[in-house]
Amino acid sequence: MSDDSCYHCGAPCKSINIKIDDKSFCCNGCKTVFEILNQSNLHCYYDLTNNPGIIPSEIKGKYNYLENSEIVSKLLEFDDGNTAIIQFNIPSIHCSSCIWVLENLSKLNPDIRTTLVNFQNKTVHVTFSSKETTLKEIVELMTSIGYEPYISLEDASSGKKKQNRHLTYQVAVAGFAFGNIMLMSLPEYFQMDEFWLNQFKPFFRGLMFVFALPVLLYSAQNYFISAFKGLKNKILNIDVPIALGISVLFMRSTFDIVFNLGQGYFDSFSGLVFFLLIGKIFQQRTYNFLSFERDYKSYFPIAITKIGKDRREQNIPVYDIKKGDRLLVRHQELVPVDGILINGDALLDYSFVTGEANPVIKQSGDKIFAGGKQMGSSFEMDVLETMSQSYLTQLWSNDIFKKKKTYSIKSLTDAISKKFTFIILSIALISGLYWFFIDPTEAFNVVTAVLIIACPCALALAAPFALGNMLRLFGKNKLYLKNANIIEDMAKIDTLVFDKTGTLTTNKSHVKYNGELLSDKEKSYIKSLLRNSNHTLSRKLYDFIKEEPFLDVTNFKEEIGKGISGNCEGMGILLGSSLFVESNEIDTILQTAIWVKINNKIKGKFIFENTYRKDLQDVFKKLQQKFRLIVLSGDNEGEKERLRKLLPNQVAYYFNQKPQQKLDFIKDLQLKGKNVMMIGDGLNDAGALAQSDVGLAVSEDINIFSPACDGIIDAKKFRIIPNYLKLAKNTVLLIKISFIISFIYNTLGMYFAIQGLLSPIVAAILMPLSSISVVIFVSLGTGYLVKKTDICH
């Protein structure tokens, strides 16, 4: 680049020439980009000012097929004309630097809203503005910075991923070279003094150098690439000492051969790379065997209402949805699949997907996408695509719903890993200098062995595998958490806050009617209105009233904590509290009731006698030993005396709490230094669930998938909540024990390496074995804890 060219975009600096040190910039935009990107020394070809950046010639035209709207529509997971979502497979994702770059694509192109990397699956989930940028531009940007997506329509439709055999080929090359170099080294090992061997000794040494070159340039390239990217971003990652050790062996061996000082250590060099790669393959297979990829289909506790051909309604799990099924989506329910709107109008809140709170209006015949929450009355839809629970989980993990927290275990791991690499390099340097004055030939072996054996891989793997495996085991036992870090949050909890209705109570209640006799027509009005609501009491009353057919409801509204209203055949219907229907009779504190008002006339009320969970008393007795317990309810005090007799004396009760009051109550506890878990049904307490340190929604065959919560527990497992909390604490303890084991291993390994008792090849074998042993330890440990704590029944 010439002195008169912009350092960022390469354009000529004409009338404007802004200088920073020795670098020139053609505009303030390019200067700003440089200042942002210089934090990580990341160079890219894209200009934040929305002016076309310099795309390398080999990329131009490569992705023209992405201008075809049909192809783009097949690749996109979501597109409402304003926001689009796509998932890319990125084979070149390798280290934490890759994650940082990909999750900061919005700094390179502001029209990219969020990016979420799945390191294990090597995928990145991109949300972008389809009005301001195109899929082609995003792919060109990613390719230009070294992260070319693997795009295949055939694989996308079949659900198959391209198998990456690159590592296998690297192992094959290293193994072939290692075997041949060892064979050619044998005569010198045994110090054979034979005329023809001596004549061809330089030839064989040169041949060993030739065999070692592809090992360096091809088999070991990933270590050098990772180390370079880390150093470029001012990060000392765990591949830096490995790359340094490989370089030392190769340069020393080359020096010996060039100056005829010996045969060098090409056998140790190629063997080191070979065993490192073999270890990597074993690690990958171990990771796959202990995969944390949760089997959403087996336990994701969300249901949806299916309408049969005879118009009968049936609650089914979302994974049983089939193409062509007719579904009923109520107020506040989530659309679980892509489909066509058939009956009714939809007012869909896609903030769950896009982060934008403006509801989208859809009418009969329109296509609707999974992830939208219905804000109006109920509607019917026909299914176009079968359920993808991984997609719902991906939405659940959206950055929009992440709580800003610091995780002590992750922070400890990151801090140790960074400092550990620096300490390793220092010890290797000091050891090398010491041995250089005692035995120079041994110095190189000692430095290499120290750099390899002390790799902190085992330390870095302990927490992810322990938390990930426990996440999987929790899921199999009906506690589904948003991510593994929630387990660490659960281990810190000291205060538990319970909602009452739908949490402490079951969905089965004894219902009786008190008031003016209702005609069949009026019962149909009531049931038709209830059909739109997802509230626990609405569902109970809906199941209690048997009258059909359903009638069309207009102007449906649901006021949280008060009631529901709407029009049916010109009649105004209100169902809710006495205040909501403007009754002169105040609700007695001894009962829970839904009042009925039809055409401005109060007809009467349905009275509910709650049924509490059978293990409720036992659960609270176990929890009171270690936690402060609070019942926080929006209902009146009708059940207070009954609960006092049922629950321990230490439990505190707060009734008539509106949603905002619940949220403020949780916030006040946190300001007093409490770590709070809120357990509710996800309806009227969404704000409190979001505010709490851990928000747990109790699910009982209804579609209340709330992005505000951190976890969903099957109502049948309510009695095991004390065991889940105990397991979380024990898992954190297990991680700390694995840290100690890893530290002891590294200390012993360096002790032998510094004394020259450990060869580089042995170090290369032990390094991956240590990682695998820690992974097996935490995986078996978490399995043992689950059996010991008994959450499987």
Side-chain angles (χ1 to χ4, degrees):
M1 187 179 293
S2 69
D3 292 338
D4 295 328
S5 298
C6 177
Y7 183 80
H8 171 65
C9 71
C13 293
K14 296 179 181 178
S15 57
I16 301 176
N17 192 340
I18 303 168
K19 290 276 189 178
I20 297 181
D21 298 328
D22 59 340
K23 301 173 182 66
S24 298
F25 299 90
C26 66
C27 65
N28 279 309
C30 283
K31 179 180 76 72
T32 303
V33 174
F34 170 78
E35 288 172 341
I36 293 172
L37 299 180
N38 193 47
Q39 295 173 12
S40 64
N41 291 331
L42 174 66
H43 175 72
C44 77
Y45 298 93
Y46 211 88
D47 184 355
L48 282 180
T49 57
N50 290 326
N51 295 322
I54 298 176
I55 300 296
S57 57
E58 64 270 19
I59 298 176
K60 286 183 179 178
K62 184 176 180 180
Y63 299 104
N64 285 343
Y65 65 90
L66 292 178
E67 295 174 353
N68 186 309
S69 58
E70 289 186 11
I71 293 176
V72 171
S73 65
K74 290 180 181 178
L75 292 171
L76 294 177
E77 290 183 349
F78 176 89
D79 184 13
D80 64 357
N82 182 41
T83 301
I85 298 175
I86 188 169
Q87 179 172 287
F88 291 117
N89 181 22
I90 314 286
S92 58
I93 295 177
H94 176 66
C95 64
S96 58
S97 301
C98 301
I99 297 173
W100 187 93
V101 172
L102 289 169
E103 292 200 342
N104 283 276
L105 287 179
S106 57
K107 291 183 179 179
L108 309 181
N109 182 347
D111 298 321
I112 296 175
R113 292 174 181 167
T114 60
T115 46
L116 186 66
V117 174
N118 185 320
F119 182 72
Q120 283 182 298
N121 291 340
K122 295 188 181 296
T123 59
V124 58
H125 201 249
V126 181
T127 304
F128 63 96
S129 171
S130 53
K131 281 187 176 180
E132 304 298 332
T133 191
T134 64
L135 183 60
K136 178 186 174 184
E137 290 175 352
I138 292 172
V139 172
E140 285 180 341
L141 167 62
M142 295 174 71
T143 304
S144 70
I145 60 174
Y147 297 97
E148 181 177 6
Y150 173 73
I151 300 174
S152 170
L153 285 176
E154 182 181 348
D155 287 352
S157 60
S158 65
K160 296 179 180 178
K161 290 184 178 179
K162 183 182 179 181
Q163 191 171 3
N164 190 350
R165 298 186 180 275
H166 184 63
L167 181 58
T168 306
Y169 297 148
Q170 287 179 318
V171 172
V173 170
F176 177 77
F178 177 48
N180 282 279
I181 292 172
M182 282 291 292
L183 186 65
M184 288 182 280
S185 301
L186 284 176
E188 295 200 47
Y189 274 137
F190 293 105
Q191 296 182 345
M192 294 180 180
D193 189 16
E194 202 274 332
F195 175 76
W196 289 108
L197 284 176
N198 291 333
Q199 292 295 314
F200 285 98
K201 191 177 288 184
F203 171 75
F204 283 121
R205 287 178 177 176
L207 202 56
M208 284 189 282
F209 174 79
V210 171
F211 274 112
L213 270 178
V215 177
L216 177 74
L217 300 176
Y218 177 68
S219 296
Q221 64 176 250
N222 289 347
Y223 295 107
F224 291 103
I225 292 170
S226 174
F228 173 74
K229 286 183 177 179
L231 293 171
K232 188 179 179 182
N233 291 286
K234 300 179 182 178
I235 297 171
L236 280 174
N237 62 32
I238 59 178
D239 285 332
V240 170
I242 296 176
L244 192 58
I246 292 170
S247 302
V248 167
L249 269 180
F250 183 82
M251 289 187 292
R252 166 66 195 273
S253 303
T254 304
F255 179 83
D256 283 355
I257 288 177
V258 170
F259 292 96
N260 200 29
L261 299 175
Q263 68 174 359
Y265 301 90
F266 283 127
D267 51 346
S268 297
F269 161 77
S270 56
L272 170 64
V273 175
F274 176 68
F275 284 113
L276 283 173
L277 294 175
I278 286 289
K280 189 174 283 189
I281 284 182
F282 274 113
Q283 283 179 346
Q284 283 189 359
R285 292 195 175 183
T286 305
Y287 303 162
N288 291 335
F289 177 72
L290 299 169
S291 174
F292 307 149
E293 192 62 31
R294 295 161 280 182
D295 182 9
Y296 312 112
K297 186 172 180 179
S298 66
Y299 56 81
F300 202 63
I302 295 178
I304 191 70
T305 303
K306 176 184 174 182
I307 302 174
K309 293 181 179 179
D310 58 358
R311 299 297 296 173
R312 289 185 178 274
E313 296 176 4
Q314 175 189 6
N315 280 345
I316 63 169
V318 284
Y319 52 79
D320 281 347
I321 296 173
K322 296 181 177 60
K323 187 174 181 179
D325 281 352
R326 178 70 59 88
L327 305 180
L328 173 68
V329 179
R330 294 182 172 88
H331 178 71
Q332 292 290 321
E333 283 190 340
L334 198 75
V335 178
V337 291
D338 294 350
I340 298 293
L341 185 60
I342 301 299
N343 292 330
D345 293 330
L347 184 64
L348 297 173
D349 176 6
Y350 276 112
S351 60
F352 194 10
V353 182
T354 65
E356 295 183 359
N358 297 326
V360 178
I361 298 173
K362 296 290 183 180
Q363 297 177 334
S364 180
D366 289 346
K367 182 178 179 179
I368 52 179
F369 291 92
K373 178 177 278 190
Q374 169 64 341
M375 304 306 292
S377 57
S378 63
F379 65 81
E380 296 179 15
M381 60 175 285
D382 281 353
V383 177
L384 289 178
E385 301 289 341
T386 53
M387 169 64 192
S388 172
Q389 298 207 41
S390 59
Y391 176 61
L392 280 183
T393 305
Q394 225 166 24
L395 296 179
W396 198 18
S397 301
N398 196 324
D399 283 340
I400 299 161
F401 305 110
K402 283 185 179 176
K403 300 175 182 179
K404 294 181 180 179
K405 297 179 182 177
T406 301
Y407 295 100
S408 56
I409 288 178
K410 185 179 184 301
S411 300
L412 178 64
T413 304
D414 291 344
I416 292 175
S417 296
K418 290 175 184 176
K419 293 178 181 178
F420 207 75
T421 304
F422 178 76
I423 293 169
I424 292 169
L425 294 174
S426 302
I427 292 173
L429 177 63
I430 295 169
S431 303
L433 289 172
Y434 172 80
W435 277 98
F436 183 78
F437 293 105
I438 296 176
D439 183 359
T441 59
E442 189 66 27
F444 286 95
N445 286 339
V446 169
V447 169
T448 308
V450 169
L451 291 172
I452 300 303
I453 196 65
C455 174
C457 292
L459 180 71
L461 290 171
F465 268 83
L467 295 174
N469 202 38
M470 189 56 73
L471 183 74
R472 180 178 63 84
L473 293 169
F474 272 175
K476 282 189 173 181
N477 291 282
K478 308 298 183 183
L479 173 60
Y480 186 80
L481 300 178
K482 181 181 289 189
N483 57 56
N485 291 327
I486 304 301
I487 297 172
E488 188 182 345
D489 290 331
M490 289 174 63
K492 300 174 184 175
I493 295 301
D494 54 32
T495 304
L496 294 175
V497 178
F498 293 86
D499 181 35
K500 182 177 75 71
T501 305
T503 304
L504 304 183
T505 64
T506 68
N507 61 356
K508 296 178 176 65
S509 297
H510 177 68
V511 183
K512 64 179 181 180
Y513 177 70
N514 186 1
E516 183 181 322
L517 185 64
L518 297 170
S519 66
D520 290 345
K521 193 73 168 178
E522 288 173 328
K523 290 179 182 178
S524 289
Y525 292 159
I526 295 170
K527 184 153 188 174
S528 297
L529 186 65
L530 291 168
R531 189 173 186 244
N532 295 276
S533 175
N534 204 22
H535 190 275
T536 306
L537 291 178
S538 297
R539 297 294 290 271
K540 289 177 181 178
L541 185 54
Y542 178 82
D543 292 334
F544 174 73
I545 299 174
K546 304 301 180 185
E547 270 64 30
E548 292 184 26
F550 297 112
L551 305 171
D552 291 336
V553 174
T554 58
N555 299 323
F556 175 83
K557 289 182 182 178
E558 183 162 355
E559 296 186 36
I560 296 175
K562 296 179 180 179
I564 58 176
S565 62
N567 294 323
C568 197
E569 293 188 342
M571 295 285 193
I573 300 125
L574 279 77
L575 303 173
S577 66
S578 60
L579 290 175
F580 183 68
V581 300
E582 298 176 338
S583 170
N584 293 325
E585 182 181 341
I586 304 299
D587 284 330
T588 172
I589 63 170
L590 299 176
Q591 59 184 218
T592 300
I594 291 180
W595 288 78
V596 179
K597 187 176 185 179
I598 299 176
N599 209 22
N600 294 320
K601 182 180 180 182
I602 295 174
K603 293 286 187 177
K605 59 184 177 182
F606 289 92
I607 302 170
F608 297 82
E609 184 179 330
N610 290 315
T611 303
Y612 289 96
R613 302 193 185 279
K614 63 178 181 179
D615 297 303
L616 183 64
Q617 197 169 20
D618 185 51
V619 168
F620 271 68
K621 280 183 180 179
K622 289 178 180 178
L623 291 173
Q624 72 168 339
Q625 299 169 15
K626 296 183 179 180
F627 304 96
R628 180 185 176 188
L629 304 177
I630 298 169
V631 174
L632 190 68
S633 176
D635 295 339
N636 59 41
E637 297 184 356
E639 298 283 325
K640 186 174 182 178
E641 290 305 314
R642 188 178 172 191
L643 281 170
R644 283 190 183 281
K645 294 177 182 178
L646 192 64
L647 303 180
N649 294 331
Q650 293 88 340
V651 179
Y653 302 92
Y654 298 87
F655 291 92
N656 298 305
Q657 299 291 304
K658 295 178 181 178
Q660 183 60 43
Q661 290 175 313
K662 290 183 180 181
L663 189 153
D664 293 337
F665 185 89
I666 300 292
K667 191 181 293 184
D668 185 59
L669 287 173
Q670 291 170 326
L671 289 173
K672 293 175 182 176
K674 301 295 183 182
N675 292 304
V676 184
M677 174 185 274
M678 173 72 190
I679 304 174
D681 62 5
L683 291 172
N684 296 344
D685 43 30
L689 289 172
Q691 177 62 42
S692 60
D693 296 282
V694 177
L696 201 61
V698 179
S699 173
E700 197 156 23
D701 296 329
I702 55 174
N703 185 1
I704 55 166
F705 188 33
S706 170
C709 66
D710 297 300
I712 304 173
I713 183 172
D714 190 307
K716 297 182 183 69
K717 294 287 184 176
F718 182 86
R719 61 185 178 82
I720 305 177
I721 287 177
N723 294 7
Y724 288 132
L725 292 166
K726 183 179 179 181
L727 265 177
K729 291 181 183 293
N730 288 339
T731 302
V732 172
L733 178 62
L734 183 73
I735 292 169
K736 292 177 181 177
I737 293 172
S738 67
F739 280 179
I740 295 171
I741 293 172
S742 178
F743 179 76
I744 292 172
Y745 163 81
N746 280 290
T747 303
L748 289 174
M750 281 195 287
Y751 171 78
F752 288 108
I754 290 169
Q755 295 191 75
L757 301 174
L758 202 64
S759 71
I761 290 182
V762 174
I765 295 171
L766 291 177
M767 191 269 282
L769 285 179
S770 71
S771 301
I772 293 171
S773 63
V774 167
V775 167
I776 292 173
F777 170 74
V778 296
S779 300
L780 293 178
T782 48
Y784 169 75
L785 289 175
V786 167
K787 288 183 180 178
K788 182 182 176 183
T789 313
D790 187 27
I791 63 170
C792 301
H793 302 291

